[in-house]
Amino acid sequence: MTQPQGTVIAVDGPAASGKGTLARKLAAHYGFAYLDTGSLYRAVGHAVRAGGGDPADETAALAAAQALDITKIDEKAIRTPEAGEAASLVAAMPPVRAAILHFQRNFAENPPDGKAGAVLDGRDIGTVVCPAAQAKLFVFASPQVRAHRRWLELKNSGSRVSEAQVLEDIEERDRRDAARAASPMKPAADAHLLDTSDLSIEAAFGAAVAIIDKAMG
């Protein structure tokens, strides 16, 4: 793997841990490019479903991954519970991961718009995608806290799913993501752990900046 030319900040963690919001704020703070790697898998899963296919069908999922155009991703469509479930399914497929991995590494090594660095958030950025990242965070929170956060997001978007169902879905995704053979979700050995269960986003952001500044200093 070619080493990144600029600075790379890896932000990993489970669903609804706050890593996405945190990563966006970090990218803005440092003037870096931002990539939500989870949206790539969501977009693939959504594309398969939208085409009438089964997200568990590896052939269909790989075709969608190879045809993916991030400039055409429908952010609203990929944020549904169904898209999230489909994303977890396609993300467990090695061929799909290989196609997405190539894109992610290229983004990190060649940040768009002349940016000096990149912030990537996902589940295996620090362990697989960018193991040479200068700063690595693993952001987490209790399943109950994460379920409540996600339920509020879904409720505000008009969804009527129950909080109990969201908790069940999150716990199932955690089990699948941690147990998958291809790039299981786990903190990198040199990642800094950040528990956001009892932190506001501003408090979490302050803690993350302190960690990153020290790592890059």
Side-chain angles (χ1 to χ4, degrees):
M1 170 186 159
T2 301
Q3 294 301 305
Q5 298 300 305
T7 300
V8 177
I9 298 173
V11 183
D12 290 308
S17 60
K19 67 179 185 297
T21 301
L22 187 57
R24 287 185 182 87
K25 289 177 70 67
L26 290 171
H29 176 75
Y30 291 106
F32 289 175
Y34 167 68
L35 180 63
D36 171 9
T37 66
S39 71
L40 305 180
Y41 291 108
R42 282 177 170 269
V44 170
H46 172 69
V48 174
R49 287 175 57 90
D54 181 355
D57 179 349
E58 188 172 284
T59 300
L62 179 58
Q66 293 172 332
L68 187 62
D69 181 349
I70 63 169
T71 66
K72 297 180 180 179
I73 292 177
D74 183 336
E75 286 295 326
K76 184 175 181 180
I78 68 172
R79 297 301 166 186
T80 64
E82 293 79 12
E85 178 66 17
S88 192
L89 289 171
V90 302
M93 302 172 182
V96 174
R97 298 196 70 81
I100 299 301
L101 177 60
H102 176 75
F103 177 87
Q104 293 173 100
R105 284 181 171 169
N106 184 62
F107 185 98
E109 293 160 11
N110 306 282
D113 304 321
K115 300 288 188 180
V119 179
L120 286 76
D121 83 63
R123 286 172 170 73
D124 63 348
I125 308 304
T127 54
V128 175
V129 180
C130 298
Q134 288 84 346
K136 301 177 184 180
L137 293 176
F138 189 87
V139 183
F140 66 99
S142 71
Q144 291 75 19
V145 167
R146 290 188 286 123
H148 185 66
R149 291 172 179 169
R150 180 56 54 83
W151 174 73
L152 287 175
E153 291 176 2
L154 293 169
K155 181 182 178 182
N156 290 337
S157 67
S159 173
R160 296 185 178 181
V161 64
S162 70
E163 188 167 349
Q165 181 60 53
V166 175
L167 175 58
E168 182 178 330
D169 291 346
I170 278 182
E171 290 178 332
E172 175 56 31
R173 286 189 64 187
D174 284 352
R175 285 191 290 270
R176 182 184 298 129
D177 290 341
R180 69 186 181 214
S183 306
M185 179 182 66
K186 63 180 180 180
D190 55 346
H192 297 272
L193 305 183
L194 181 59
D195 185 350
T196 66
S197 296
D198 299 316
L199 298 180
S200 67
I201 185 57
E202 290 304 328
F205 173 68
V209 167
I211 290 169
I212 293 168
D213 283 350
K214 184 176 181 180
M216 297 194 305

